[in-house]
Amino acid sequence: MAATAAGVGGVGVDRAAPINEFRGMRLSGLIQHRISSRMLRVATSSRSSSVVRAVSTSTKPESSKGKRSKVELFKEQSNFLRYPLNEEIMNDAPNINEAATQLIKFHGSYQQTNRDERGIKAYQFMLRTKNPCGKVPNQLYLAMDDLADDFGIGTLRLTTRQTFQLHGILKKNLKTVMSTIIRNMGSTLGACGDLNRNVLAPAAPYTRKDYLFAQETAENIAALLTPQSGAYYDLWVDGEKVMSAEPAEVVKARNDNSNGTNFPDSPEPIYGTQFLPRKFKVAVTVPTDNSVDILTNDIGIVVVSDDNGEPQGFNIYVGGGMGRTHRVETTFPCLGKPLGYVPKEDILYAVKAIVVTQRENGRRDDRRYSRMKYLINEWGIDKFRTVVEQYYGKKFEPFHELPEWEFKSYLGWHDQGDGALFCGLHIDNGRIRGAMKKALREIIEKYSLNMRITPNQNLILCDIHHSWKKDISATLAQAGFLQPSEVDLLNVTAMACPALPLCPLATTEAERGIPDILKRVRAVFDKVGLTPDESVVIRVTGCPNGCARPYMAELGLVGDGPNSYQIWLGGTPNQTSLAACFMDKVKVQNLEKVFEPLFYNWKTKRLQAESFGSFATRTGFDKLRELVENWEALPVGDNLTAHS
């Protein structure tokens, strides 16, 4: 293990100092401008000859001037994410300027206003942590619990990428909150912004070799792709050198430049001045366990083991992504595609090669098209693989066959495999508050428990002695936590983004609206005769960006106006099929007019064991729309509840 300094003391920025000129992805003062036919990528897009991409070196750096997005300029001029954020957080204004608003995302925060408060902009900040695999040390949880009460809105939000969100932080308290997180074994660095986000892995603390290896790999990838310049620590802990131990293989992979991946003299050897074109998401899992929505990530990695359970290597998917823009058909959600297989010792180099391919070729002129899925869609997977192999230095091996995927919730009590237990707790919409928040703190503090956040916004308490189970169960029940059998199956798989009132992109409710929507769906189930042990995967978002991954749901509701949703159908319970848009502009008060004919026909016309999403796809949307448009009421004699 190599000890590395995560912070660099005393590094500031002089506003009068000249900013190094942008030359593709390189700083002109640092790099010899030699053209390599392998490194230079020429845009051959059929869309337009003006498509702008970042290249490692360029013969005509001035040709891209004025064609990059504004955010690219902010990054270039920021001295590796410092300026002007370092000045903006120190002044007395309640908010920060446009450039700083973009840069603070890289530090793990979004500037927001409370949209419920009319007439005045009440500025506040959301902070998001970085927790690879969803791991949360005991010390960090207790600190987050305190910060929510002392500086936030009194709640903790668990996210769909296994992290915490703190809402309601005032600008004057940002540094206190950030430094407290850092000094309590946490970080927010890279939780937002144009770089690798939190790396997902199954949260279950099993001691099986493949689970442990998946989690170790996720942590190593997170370390590999963490920003290195020290700006984060300069701003939030005054340059204090926060020491962390990194595995030697991570340091070696980061520093390796044998295939031209790095900026040798840059404080950011992988990211350079410009970082990535947009957000970048990675997940690691084991065969069958799709608790991580593996196909929705830019890179999806699956452990491949031999017959004795020993991990041997990894299958890699690339190009998943959820975000899109309403009524812009050239934007779309996408599933990851098989790239190939790599032996286990090569995974960091393969991931780095994929990241660099996106860094060098992803679009930087129009952020709507900057995710890696659009690059792969334009090039095709074969060309993409060929380019990645140049940075990887090897050919990918053929993809290994995998068994069917399953969604795993991990709710309830389970054996870890080492004599201890873990307990999965259902948290409605990931929002920890009130009596539940108090009880969790009591348990976590009393027994010094660590925990993990799941990608379905739930919480796992780890390393529980058998003798503690009775007391913990009683405390949880008294606080209102439900046993797995008591949680409606609709709620087990449902997800929603925070949306209103704080998200500036939301056009309608999601988190605040989904409890009522789920009750209404269950009422329709009862009305058409579906039983309590039947369910569909429902996900709700307030805008089309897809943070709750609605395009993988059997029934996705995507905000497209005030109190209005697009309805998406066709996902599968194991999250392996993409939904499609079924109807636009359905008002929230009219949802039953759509739900009732859909669920009645699913009940009466489905094949044996056919899921709702599969039924919708097989039946076809034209036929389903006809059924909805002509629906008046349940046929006579069929208006029976599931309990009749």
Side-chain angles (χ1 to χ4, degrees), residues 49 168 188 211 237 313 379 425 446 499 628:
S49 61
T188 64
Y211 273 87
V237 288
W379 279 4
L425 302 176
K446 180 177 180 179
V628 170

Side-chain angles (χ1 to χ4, degrees), residues 86-100:
N86 55 347
E87 294 185 353
E88 287 290 306
I89 61 173
M90 298 303 292
N91 65 38
D92 294 332
N95 61 315
I96 56 179
N97 68 17
E98 183 182 6

Side-chain angles (χ1 to χ4, degrees), residues 208-214 285-287 302-315 341-342 344 400-403:
R208 264 174 42 184
K209 291 178 181 178
D210 55 349
Y211 273 87
L212 293 175
F213 194 55
T285 192
V286 302
V302 187
V303 175
V304 175
S305 301
D306 63 18
D307 293 339
N308 297 317
E310 289 289 340
Q312 299 298 308
F314 301 90
N315 278 349
Y341 170 89
V342 298
K344 60 184 179 182
H400 286 224
E401 186 176 350
L402 295 172

Side-chain angles (χ1 to χ4, degrees), residues 269-435:
I270 295 177
Y271 289 131
T273 61
Q274 302 307 114
F275 291 80
L276 298 180
R278 279 298 300 272
K279 67 181 78 171
F280 198 88
K281 298 181 177 181
V282 181
V284 187
T285 192
V286 302
T288 75
D289 189 333
N290 200 19
S291 60
V292 300
D293 259 345
I294 191 72
L295 299 178
T296 66
N297 293 271
D298 291 273
I299 304 178
I301 299 168
V302 187
V303 175
V304 175
S305 301
D306 63 18
D307 293 339
N308 297 317
E310 289 289 340
Q312 299 298 308
F314 301 90
N315 278 349
I316 300 177
Y317 296 94
V318 291
M322 293 284 96
R324 50 177 284 276
T325 302
H326 282 317
R327 289 167 287 283
V328 180
E329 298 305 316
T330 50
T331 66
F332 45 81
C334 196
L335 297 183
K337 299 174 177 61
L339 182 71
Y341 170 89
V342 298
K344 60 184 179 182
E345 62 271 14
D346 287 350
I347 187 59
L348 296 181
Y349 300 90
V351 167
K352 184 179 175 184
I354 296 166
V355 169
V356 170
T357 300
Q358 163 66 353
R359 182 195 76 194
E360 296 295 296
N361 299 284
R363 286 183 61 172
R364 293 178 184 264
D365 58 335
D366 188 336
R367 291 175 64 80
R368 289 180 299 180
Y369 304 105
S370 293
R371 290 290 298 275
M372 194 170 75
K373 63 183 178 181
Y374 295 113
L375 178 64
I376 295 173
N377 183 67
E378 177 193 338
W379 279 4
I381 190 64
D382 292 335
K383 177 179 177 180
F384 183 83
R385 182 184 297 110
T386 298
V387 175
V388 172
E389 286 172 343
Q390 294 172 353
Y391 291 114
Y392 175 38
K394 298 180 180 180
K395 294 284 188 182
F396 286 100
E397 298 177 32
F399 211 70
H400 286 224
E401 186 176 350
L402 295 172
E404 286 293 312
W405 292 106
E406 301 173 17
F407 168 76
K408 298 179 184 290
S409 72
Y410 300 118
L411 297 180
W413 291 90
H414 304 266
D415 289 315
Q416 292 183 175
D418 58 359
L421 302 171
F422 73 86
C423 182
L425 302 176
H426 175 73
I427 312 288
D428 267 334
N429 302 309
R431 184 71 67 177
I432 301 174
R433 68 175 90 217

Side-chain angles (χ1 to χ4, degrees), residues 372-599:
M372 194 170 75
K373 63 183 178 181
Y374 295 113
L375 178 64
I376 295 173
N377 183 67
E378 177 193 338
W379 279 4
I381 190 64
D382 292 335
K383 177 179 177 180
F384 183 83
R385 182 184 297 110
T386 298
V387 175
V388 172
E389 286 172 343
Q390 294 172 353
Y391 291 114
Y392 175 38
K394 298 180 180 180
K395 294 284 188 182
F396 286 100
E397 298 177 32
F399 211 70
H400 286 224
E401 186 176 350
L402 295 172
E404 286 293 312
W405 292 106
E406 301 173 17
F407 168 76
K408 298 179 184 290
S409 72
Y410 300 118
L411 297 180
W413 291 90
H414 304 266
D415 289 315
Q416 292 183 175
D418 58 359
L421 302 171
F422 73 86
C423 182
L425 302 176
H426 175 73
I427 312 288
D428 267 334
N429 302 309
R431 184 71 67 177
I432 301 174
R433 68 175 90 217
M436 290 183 174
K437 182 172 176 290
K438 184 178 179 181
L440 278 174
R441 183 184 183 96
E442 178 185 330
I443 292 167
I444 288 163
E445 206 164 25
K446 180 177 180 179
Y447 295 106
S448 299
L449 298 181
N450 297 320
M451 65 232 60
R452 299 187 184 181
I453 302 168
T454 80
N456 221 53
Q457 302 171 292
N458 293 321
L459 198 65
I460 292 176
L461 304 179
C462 306
D463 305 316
I464 300 172
H465 293 183
H466 283 262
S467 61
W468 303 344
K469 179 179 177 180
K470 184 177 180 181
D471 179 56
I472 290 174
S473 295
T475 304
L476 292 172
Q478 188 173 5
F481 285 97
L482 299 177
Q483 296 284 345
S485 60
E486 299 171 328
V487 181
D488 191 308
L489 289 179
L490 291 171
N491 295 66
V492 170
T493 57
M495 290 200 298
C497 68
L500 298 175
L502 297 178
C503 178
L505 302 176
T507 62
T508 194
E509 299 286 358
E511 180 186 338
R512 296 194 303 194
I514 195 173
D516 182 61
I517 289 172
L518 293 177
K519 290 176 183 176
R520 291 164 64 186
V521 169
R522 181 55 70 187
V524 172
F525 269 35
D526 288 345
K527 186 176 181 180
V528 303
L530 289 164
T531 58
D533 63 349
E534 296 184 279
S535 184
V536 299
V537 177
I538 299 174
R539 295 176 176 179
V540 183
T541 59
C543 84
N545 279 10
C547 294
R549 303 188 284 273
Y551 310 116
M552 302 300 289
E554 294 183 273
L555 172 61
L557 303 182
V558 180
D560 65 353
N563 300 310
S564 176
Y565 297 96
Q566 275 187 340
I567 295 182
W568 287 63
L569 304 176
T572 48
N574 63 353
Q575 282 80 61
T576 56
S577 298
L578 204 59
C581 185
F582 174 63
M583 296 184 75
D584 289 302
K585 298 287 184 181
V586 178
K587 289 296 183 181
V588 68
Q589 63 268 26
N590 295 328
L591 289 174
E592 280 85 353
K593 295 178 181 178
V594 180
F595 293 165
E596 192 172 297
L598 291 179
F599 292 139

Side-chain angles (χ1 to χ4, degrees), residues 37-307:
S37 59
R38 182 179 60 77
M39 296 285 287
L40 182 62
R41 302 282 170 249
V42 179
T44 58
S45 169
S46 61
R47 287 193 296 267
S48 169
S49 61
S50 66
V51 169
V52 177
R53 307 186 191 283
V55 294
S56 293
T57 56
S58 175
T59 53
K60 296 181 179 179
E62 70 280 358
S63 66
S64 66
K65 293 294 182 181
K67 296 179 182 178
R68 291 174 291 142
S69 73
K70 189 185 293 186
V71 176
E72 292 298 312
L73 300 178
F74 292 152
K75 288 186 284 187
E76 178 188 346
Q77 297 166 3
S78 71
N79 189 16
F80 298 97
L81 309 180
R82 292 178 175 86
Y83 175 77
L85 180 59
N86 55 347
E87 294 185 353
E88 287 290 306
I89 61 173
M90 298 303 292
N91 65 38
D92 294 332
N95 61 315
I96 56 179
N97 68 17
E98 183 182 6
T101 298
Q102 293 298 327
L103 296 177
I104 202 170
K105 295 177 184 179
F106 292 79
H107 295 254
S109 180
Y110 284 89
Q111 180 170 264
Q112 299 179 331
T113 60
N114 189 334
R115 295 167 62 187
D116 282 348
E117 297 181 10
R118 305 295 182 183
I120 185 171
K121 284 194 173 183
Y123 288 102
Q124 54 188 276
F125 291 80
M126 178 271 282
L127 296 186
R128 182 184 296 154
T129 58
K130 198 88 171 279
N131 307 86
C133 317
K135 291 184 178 181
V136 183
N138 174 273
Q139 180 180 340
L140 177 60
Y141 183 87
L142 296 177
M144 296 296 293
D145 184 74
D146 286 336
L147 290 171
D149 290 340
D150 295 344
F151 300 102
I153 60 173
T155 69
L156 285 170
R157 182 56 151 69
L158 311 179
T159 78
T160 60
R161 291 202 72 79
Q162 298 184 275
T163 66
F164 287 116
Q165 285 184 179
L166 277 177
H167 292 95
I169 309 299
L170 299 180
K171 177 181 153 182
K172 66 181 181 180
N173 296 324
L174 271 174
K175 192 165 185 176
T176 298
V177 176
M178 288 280 205
S179 62
T180 301
I181 292 171
I182 293 167
R183 292 189 172 108
N184 284 277
M185 305 175 69
S187 177
T188 64
L189 176 58
C192 322
D194 299 343
L195 73 179
N196 180 56
R197 303 289 186 88
N198 198 51
V199 181
L200 304 188
Y206 290 130
T207 54
R208 264 174 42 184
K209 291 178 181 178
D210 55 349
Y211 273 87
L212 293 175
F213 194 55
Q215 292 156 2
E216 177 188 347
T217 301
E219 292 177 302
N220 286 348
I221 292 170
L224 173 72
L225 299 177
T226 294
Q228 298 294 301
S229 77
Y232 179 69
Y233 299 93
D234 290 343
L235 265 66
W236 307 114
V237 288
D238 299 322
E240 178 183 330
K241 293 184 177 179
V242 180
M243 302 301 291
S244 60
E246 286 189 323
E249 61 264 34
V250 172
V251 178
K252 182 180 178 182
R254 182 188 298 123
N255 293 335
D256 179 75
N257 197 30
S258 56
N259 295 301
T261 53
N262 286 23
F263 305 108
D265 301 307
S266 173
E268 292 291 353
I270 295 177
Y271 289 131
T273 61
Q274 302 307 114
F275 291 80
L276 298 180
R278 279 298 300 272
K279 67 181 78 171
F280 198 88
K281 298 181 177 181
V282 181
V284 187
T285 192
V286 302
T288 75
D289 189 333
N290 200 19
S291 60
V292 300
D293 259 345
I294 191 72
L295 299 178
T296 66
N297 293 271
D298 291 273
I299 304 178
I301 299 168
V302 187
V303 175
V304 175
S305 301
D306 63 18
D307 293 339

